[in-house]
Amino acid sequence: MKRKSIITRGISLIASTALLLGTLSGCSLGDKGGSSLVDEAAKGSKDYVFKSEKLDITDASDYSNISIVGDRIYAATYSDGENITICSFNSDGSDIKTVKIPEADSESHGDMTYDKDGNMYCILYKYYYTDDQGNIVDFEEHLDEEGMGDGADTEDGAVSGDGEGSGEEIIVTEEETPADSDVIVDKMVVGGDEMEEDYNYHEEQYLLKFDASGNELLNIMLSDGQDEDNYFSLYGMVYDDTHGLILSSNRGIQKFNDADQSFTTIAETGDSSDEYDGSSITLYSGFDGQIFASLWGDHGIELRSFDPETGKLSDPSEQFKTYDDYSFFGGNGYDLYVSKTDGFYGYDKGKDTLTKILDFVDSDISISYAVSSVVAVSDQEFIANLPDESYNYSLCRLTKVPADQVKDKTIITLAGSNIDYNVRDMIYKYNQTSDDYKIKIVDYSKLDSEDDWQAGATQFNLDIVSGNVPDIMYFVNDEPIDSYINKGLFLDLSSYLATDPELKDVEFVENAFEAFKTGDKLYQVVPSFYVNTLAAKTSNMAGLDVLTLKDCKEMIQQKGVSYSDSFGMIAKDTIMYYGLASSGNKFVDWENKSCNFNSDGFIELLEFAKEFPDEITEDMWMDYDEACYRTGNALYSIVYLNGFRPYKRYVDGTFGSDISLIGFPNEMGVNCSILTPNARFAVSAQTKYPEECWKLIRQLYLDEYQDSIEYDFPIRKDKFDALAKKSMEKESWVDDDGVKHYEEEYYWIGDTQIEVKPLSQQDVDTVKDFVESLTLTYSPNEEVNNIVNEEAAAYFKGQKTAQEVAEIIQSRVSIFVNENS
């Protein structure tokens, strides 16, 4: 349901800093108020630095299921088309031994676990189709029978399927292929859905055991995939020297007896009376024979120890209350190890403590997620499957660098919440080339928890206004940027840009670039942006370029559409959100410290919003007609335009006709579509290292970063134009042999598939002209939104008139604006 994701993204921009701006007037920028995450990062540390060296083990480059047995490391490669390879070696990469296990296309081996003798247990997964007689159906032969195996053409130049079983004809447009034959056109797999309708799908699981030479010792079917009561899903598997193989699955936690090949349940998880009913419990081998378990609890991930004698789990650790990406792994030294988004930690069960061991940034390891394929040789040596700069994976040996051998560098802090991979990668590359400075990433999202998913963003903003300001700040739209600028927190970067030898003559998408400036000051760097707007069928617009609320209401009445259906699926708070977000300085003028909520325009907005549902219920979603815009049962769609291609998805898919991008209805007589930054970067006015900060920030405007932007509009004009040109071609990718593949694009409405074609030159010109005409930017203020929503509720409930509510909002926001401008 595409509409739901669009609305949800819009609403999410309102959340996160309810208490923040209320503290602005009472905070002194000189009062640090104690230590913060930024303060801690600024101190720097040499204790978490590891050196990484690639191990040359096999021709394969990607490994999983890394384990340690005695003094040897075990790792499995992925299939080479015929086999998987099990490698064992010393931690320094010496004495390599390999065993190949045959693996067919319809098979996969996983969950490798080893005993003390090097025997391997694993699960074999098989997937296939059979006909009514039980014969296995070859998928490629099925395609040939359907006329798709060789891309056969129909007389009209299209490849077609008869749509048997789907009730519709499926057409795949033919693509011209260059004469040099380096381009392949990927046709849609006709009959892909029909396989499940015409044939019987099978999924089987087997428990296998191999000796150290690769000889199969055991093969037991766990599930045949046809009997739902016999369904099997493995969550984790460990080998214990005392108790043997232990499996955790939807059948509970069971011990496997090698002698008679039987299973004994030692912990129930499927009994409704059991504490762990329905829990997916994953098991891990800890140090010295310990077993640990993780599961999802009421407050996020839980880590517990597991006793196979009693089948009991301990109370959960107190170390995992905040939201983060966690991965658990074993090895020597600590009881267990934990990988988080910033590095490796050792877990002490007795003390219930986490001790940081390795920091990804300090060690120049370019990842920002919890590593799962890793094992600890000791707390000073790890073997891990890690990517290089081109994201090619390989086995790496990580060894601790003594603190006295780590070079002193000046620390520069970059802080924000949910800092994305491209930014992290840019920082890693900077750190690898800088001799005197190191940028430390402070990601506040690690403070998020099940109880408060916005805790990190809130604390980040509280730290900023209380003086704990990082050198560089990363914002993702929820923050009150205008208030920060008015407070003088940001450095004007315009002189740095004007004198930069590579950037001073670069042309930007002028209207957007100027819109994100404050007068002639460049306080924020915006590398890319998208547009929030409102779309309607051009045939319904009667030549109008924009709509007033009155026009909007008249069209709803003329078309005989209910208010609740007119925008597809939308509630009162979303109407209010877009009404405020697209109003520019009409209701709040921060520069002049004035507001205008007691105006006829705002009262009309309140009256308009009242016509919509209080909330979108599950029943409403169940009844929602995805074809409503094509049939005319809905008129206006809130559109998230993050690039050129989405325009055609709305034209060919959502509406099935030409559309007008009209912006939210307003009384200003302008197109109130909103230029929204995907991220904003600012440099602290207090930083001691402005030139060095600019060395990093400038990279957001350079070719490498701008060329990586595919799902927004780049701020550079040449990249903006290049993306426009690319949208006139089909999506493509290049395989390992350098062959370029073009892909068809489809839009689904229910079970109906609709082809989305590349943009024509006219389409590109339409989108360009539209985007380059816009001047309004998204400038959130959570406290103003809260005041409006709190008071508007009284009107929506019939407790007060719209005029009374407007006067109260005018009074409250006026006080707030004067105190915080």
Side-chain angles (χ1 to χ4, degrees), residues 513-549:
F513 187 77
E514 291 298 319
F516 296 131
K517 291 173 67 175
T518 304
D520 60 351
K521 308 293 186 182
L522 182 63
Y523 291 120
Q524 51 183 322
V525 168
V526 176
S528 64
F529 62 95
Y530 57 93
V531 176
N532 280 111
T533 186
L534 200 70
K537 283 186 177 181
T538 301
S539 59
N540 287 338
M541 289 300 296
L544 296 175
D545 296 321
V546 297
L547 289 179
T548 64
L549 285 172

Side-chain angles (χ1 to χ4, degrees), residues 590-622:
W590 288 95
E591 185 176 355
N592 296 310
K593 297 184 179 182
S594 64
C595 51
N596 193 30
F597 286 99
N598 56 355
S599 63
D600 291 340
F602 182 73
I603 292 172
E604 189 174 6
L605 175 63
L606 282 172
E607 293 171 342
F608 184 68
K610 189 178 182 180
E611 301 292 337
F612 291 83
D614 293 329
E615 62 178 345
I616 305 301
T617 65
E618 184 175 347
D619 288 342
M620 294 170 69
W621 277 118
M622 294 296 293

Side-chain angles (χ1 to χ4, degrees), residues 651-724:
V651 171
D652 293 344
T654 305
F655 286 90
S657 69
D658 290 339
I659 61 173
S660 296
L661 302 173
I662 54 178
F664 197 82
N666 67 91
E667 310 306 312
M668 295 184 284
V670 298
N671 191 309
C672 285
S673 301
I674 314 166
L675 297 165
T676 307
N678 193 39
R680 311 180 194 220
F681 297 80
V683 175
S684 169
Q686 302 176 37
T687 184
K688 298 177 182 178
Y689 320 106
E691 289 81 10
E692 208 62 33
C693 290
W694 174 250
K695 285 184 182 179
L696 179 78
I697 291 296
R698 68 187 294 275
Q699 295 182 47
L700 297 165
Y701 289 149
L702 295 180
D703 287 337
E704 182 176 359
Y705 192 92
Q706 288 285 301
D707 285 337
S708 72
I709 299 168
E710 296 185 44
Y711 302 107
D712 280 309
F713 294 109
I715 197 69
R716 271 180 51 164
K717 186 65 166 65
D718 56 342
K719 309 304 180 184
F720 178 83
D721 290 341
L723 204 62

